[in-house]
Amino acid sequence: MNYSAIKKNDIANGPGVRVSLFVSGCRRHCKNCFNPETWNFYNGNPFDKNVMDELMRALDREYIAGFTILGGEPFEEENKGTVYHIIRTIRGKFPDKSIWCYSGFTFEELKETSINILEMLDVLVDGPFVEEKKNLRLRFRGSENQRLIDMKKTLATGSVVELESEEV
């Protein structure tokens, strides 16, 4: 898997100051995507042990609230194995930091094929960006069809539970 960027002090992709990893590769090609350079699976650099170590050092700061993975598309088949490894490693070392993931797929599409990743997330921001539903007032998402899903509650109840606005 390649990655396009790492942001070590991100405040746009989840609550608090976060470390964010932008993976490369996405077949969705949403109209007016904010990050079209990540569509190419070969964009950026290979994700390797040195990059994992860099993420771990960046996360090992008291002021870092959590980790966000987005892209590109973390749930593309080419990315899922590495994404699983990254999230599992971070969850193991930093169990109290929140983990968010952005995906153009919906929870309903992912629950059959990626439950091993979903179980480790705190929040899944799901659904493709839809230009016609763009809303700049939304927090942590770009269009009204996208949901901020509380994964722990969703998996416990079996029904999608969205975060309340005061929770983010």
Side-chain angles (χ1 to χ4, degrees), residues 16 20 39 42 55 65 71 88-89 99 101 154 156-157:
S20 294
W39 293 352
Y42 301 103
L55 285 179
R88 187 185 72 207
T89 302
I99 299 178
C101 182
T154 294
T157 64

PDB file of all heavy atoms in Angstrom, residues 16 20 39 42 55 65 71 88-89 99 101 154 156-157:
ATOM      1  N   GLY A  16     -10.130  17.113  18.508  1.00  0.00           N
ATOM      2  CA  GLY A  16      -8.811  17.280  19.106  1.00  0.00           C
ATOM      3  C   GLY A  16      -7.719  17.309  18.065  1.00  0.00           C
ATOM      4  O   GLY A  16      -7.965  17.345  16.860  1.00  0.00           O
ATOM      5  N   SER A  20      -3.057  11.984  11.226  1.00  0.00           N
ATOM      6  CA  SER A  20      -3.872  11.469  10.126  1.00  0.00           C
ATOM      7  C   SER A  20      -2.998  10.897   9.027  1.00  0.00           C
ATOM      8  O   SER A  20      -1.977  11.482   8.664  1.00  0.00           O
ATOM      9  CB  SER A  20      -4.764  12.575   9.548  1.00  0.00           C
ATOM     10  OG  SER A  20      -5.710  12.978  10.508  1.00  0.00           O
ATOM     11  N   TRP A  39      -6.377   9.294  -5.607  1.00  0.00           N
ATOM     12  CA  TRP A  39      -7.060   8.243  -6.364  1.00  0.00           C
ATOM     13  C   TRP A  39      -6.099   7.206  -6.913  1.00  0.00           C
ATOM     14  O   TRP A  39      -6.429   6.027  -6.991  1.00  0.00           O
ATOM     15  CB  TRP A  39      -7.850   8.847  -7.521  1.00  0.00           C
ATOM     16  CG  TRP A  39      -9.009   9.707  -7.115  1.00  0.00           C
ATOM     17  CD1 TRP A  39      -9.528   9.884  -5.870  1.00  0.00           C
ATOM     18  CD2 TRP A  39      -9.803  10.510  -7.987  1.00  0.00           C
ATOM     19  NE1 TRP A  39     -10.591  10.755  -5.906  1.00  0.00           N
ATOM     20  CE2 TRP A  39     -10.788  11.154  -7.199  1.00  0.00           C
ATOM     21  CE3 TRP A  39      -9.778  10.756  -9.349  1.00  0.00           C
ATOM     22  CZ2 TRP A  39     -11.738  12.003  -7.735  1.00  0.00           C
ATOM     23  CZ3 TRP A  39     -10.731  11.610  -9.887  1.00  0.00           C
ATOM     24  CH2 TRP A  39     -11.699  12.220  -9.087  1.00  0.00           C
ATOM     25  N   TYR A  42      -0.607   4.362  -6.876  1.00  0.00           N
ATOM     26  CA  TYR A  42       0.856   4.491  -6.869  1.00  0.00           C
ATOM     27  C   TYR A  42       1.316   5.872  -6.424  1.00  0.00           C
ATOM     28  O   TYR A  42       2.508   6.141  -6.380  1.00  0.00           O
ATOM     29  CB  TYR A  42       1.415   4.149  -8.250  1.00  0.00           C
ATOM     30  CG  TYR A  42       1.047   2.747  -8.652  1.00  0.00           C
ATOM     31  CD1 TYR A  42       0.026   2.531  -9.575  1.00  0.00           C
ATOM     32  CD2 TYR A  42       1.675   1.650  -8.082  1.00  0.00           C
ATOM     33  CE1 TYR A  42      -0.344   1.238  -9.914  1.00  0.00           C
ATOM     34  CE2 TYR A  42       1.307   0.372  -8.418  1.00  0.00           C
ATOM     35  CZ  TYR A  42       0.303   0.165  -9.336  1.00  0.00           C
ATOM     36  OH  TYR A  42      -0.062  -1.114  -9.658  1.00  0.00           O
ATOM     37  N   LEU A  55       4.576   7.025  12.577  1.00  0.00           N
ATOM     38  CA  LEU A  55       3.218   7.214  13.110  1.00  0.00           C
ATOM     39  C   LEU A  55       3.193   7.000  14.623  1.00  0.00           C
ATOM     40  O   LEU A  55       2.578   7.778  15.360  1.00  0.00           O
ATOM     41  CB  LEU A  55       2.230   6.252  12.455  1.00  0.00           C
ATOM     42  CG  LEU A  55       1.775   6.533  11.037  1.00  0.00           C
ATOM     43  CD1 LEU A  55       0.824   5.432  10.578  1.00  0.00           C
ATOM     44  CD2 LEU A  55       1.115   7.892  10.918  1.00  0.00           C
ATOM     45  N   ALA A  65      -5.015  13.434  20.503  1.00  0.00           N
ATOM     46  CA  ALA A  65      -6.265  12.783  20.915  1.00  0.00           C
ATOM     47  C   ALA A  65      -6.501  11.460  20.211  1.00  0.00           C
ATOM     48  O   ALA A  65      -7.185  10.586  20.738  1.00  0.00           O
ATOM     49  CB  ALA A  65      -7.449  13.711  20.656  1.00  0.00           C
ATOM     50  N   GLY A  71      -8.305   8.956   2.870  1.00  0.00           N
ATOM     51  CA  GLY A  71      -7.574   8.779   1.630  1.00  0.00           C
ATOM     52  C   GLY A  71      -7.965   9.734   0.546  1.00  0.00           C
ATOM     53  O   GLY A  71      -8.326  10.855   0.827  1.00  0.00           O
ATOM     54  N   ARG A  88      -4.616  -2.078  14.128  1.00  0.00           N
ATOM     55  CA  ARG A  88      -4.382  -3.044  15.210  1.00  0.00           C
ATOM     56  C   ARG A  88      -3.171  -2.641  16.042  1.00  0.00           C
ATOM     57  O   ARG A  88      -3.185  -2.689  17.277  1.00  0.00           O
ATOM     58  CB  ARG A  88      -4.202  -4.446  14.635  1.00  0.00           C
ATOM     59  CG  ARG A  88      -4.118  -5.518  15.735  1.00  0.00           C
ATOM     60  CD  ARG A  88      -3.831  -6.873  15.177  1.00  0.00           C
ATOM     61  NE  ARG A  88      -2.434  -6.845  14.753  1.00  0.00           N
ATOM     62  CZ  ARG A  88      -1.921  -7.582  13.790  1.00  0.00           C
ATOM     63  NH1 ARG A  88      -2.684  -8.413  13.116  1.00  0.00           N
ATOM     64  NH2 ARG A  88      -0.651  -7.504  13.473  1.00  0.00           N
ATOM     65  N   THR A  89      -2.104  -2.212  15.371  1.00  0.00           N
ATOM     66  CA  THR A  89      -0.888  -1.793  16.074  1.00  0.00           C
ATOM     67  C   THR A  89      -1.156  -0.564  16.936  1.00  0.00           C
ATOM     68  O   THR A  89      -0.754  -0.509  18.105  1.00  0.00           O
ATOM     69  CB  THR A  89       0.238  -1.516  15.058  1.00  0.00           C
ATOM     70  OG1 THR A  89       0.470  -2.711  14.292  1.00  0.00           O
ATOM     71  CG2 THR A  89       1.525  -1.105  15.751  1.00  0.00           C
ATOM     72  N   ILE A  99      -9.801   6.253  17.338  1.00  0.00           N
ATOM     73  CA  ILE A  99      -9.447   5.936  15.957  1.00  0.00           C
ATOM     74  C   ILE A  99     -10.673   6.189  15.087  1.00  0.00           C
ATOM     75  O   ILE A  99     -11.738   5.607  15.308  1.00  0.00           O
ATOM     76  CB  ILE A  99      -8.955   4.489  15.800  1.00  0.00           C
ATOM     77  CG1 ILE A  99      -7.698   4.266  16.653  1.00  0.00           C
ATOM     78  CG2 ILE A  99      -8.680   4.180  14.324  1.00  0.00           C
ATOM     79  CD1 ILE A  99      -7.152   2.852  16.611  1.00  0.00           C
ATOM     80  N   CYS A 101     -12.054   6.562  10.966  1.00  0.00           N
ATOM     81  CA  CYS A 101     -11.767   6.181   9.586  1.00  0.00           C
ATOM     82  C   CYS A 101     -12.834   6.770   8.676  1.00  0.00           C
ATOM     83  O   CYS A 101     -14.027   6.708   8.982  1.00  0.00           O
ATOM     84  CB  CYS A 101     -11.766   4.658   9.450  1.00  0.00           C
ATOM     85  SG  CYS A 101     -11.353   4.073   7.792  1.00  0.00           S
ATOM     86  N   THR A 154     -22.850   0.931  17.634  1.00  0.00           N
ATOM     87  CA  THR A 154     -23.444   0.284  16.462  1.00  0.00           C
ATOM     88  C   THR A 154     -23.242  -1.223  16.509  1.00  0.00           C
ATOM     89  O   THR A 154     -24.179  -1.993  16.283  1.00  0.00           O
ATOM     90  CB  THR A 154     -22.833   0.873  15.172  1.00  0.00           C
ATOM     91  OG1 THR A 154     -23.241   2.245  15.078  1.00  0.00           O
ATOM     92  CG2 THR A 154     -23.272   0.119  13.931  1.00  0.00           C
ATOM     93  N   ALA A 156     -22.613  -3.025  19.167  1.00  0.00           N
ATOM     94  CA  ALA A 156     -23.288  -3.572  20.345  1.00  0.00           C
ATOM     95  C   ALA A 156     -24.783  -3.736  20.127  1.00  0.00           C
ATOM     96  O   ALA A 156     -25.384  -4.704  20.596  1.00  0.00           O
ATOM     97  CB  ALA A 156     -23.028  -2.689  21.565  1.00  0.00           C
ATOM     98  N   THR A 157     -25.400  -2.792  19.392  1.00  0.00           N
ATOM     99  CA  THR A 157     -26.857  -2.828  19.208  1.00  0.00           C
ATOM    100  C   THR A 157     -27.286  -3.515  17.916  1.00  0.00           C
ATOM    101  O   THR A 157     -28.431  -3.918  17.785  1.00  0.00           O
ATOM    102  CB  THR A 157     -27.445  -1.404  19.191  1.00  0.00           C
ATOM    103  OG1 THR A 157     -26.927  -0.697  18.050  1.00  0.00           O
ATOM    104  CG2 THR A 157     -27.120  -0.653  20.471  1.00  0.00           C
TER     105      THR A 157
END
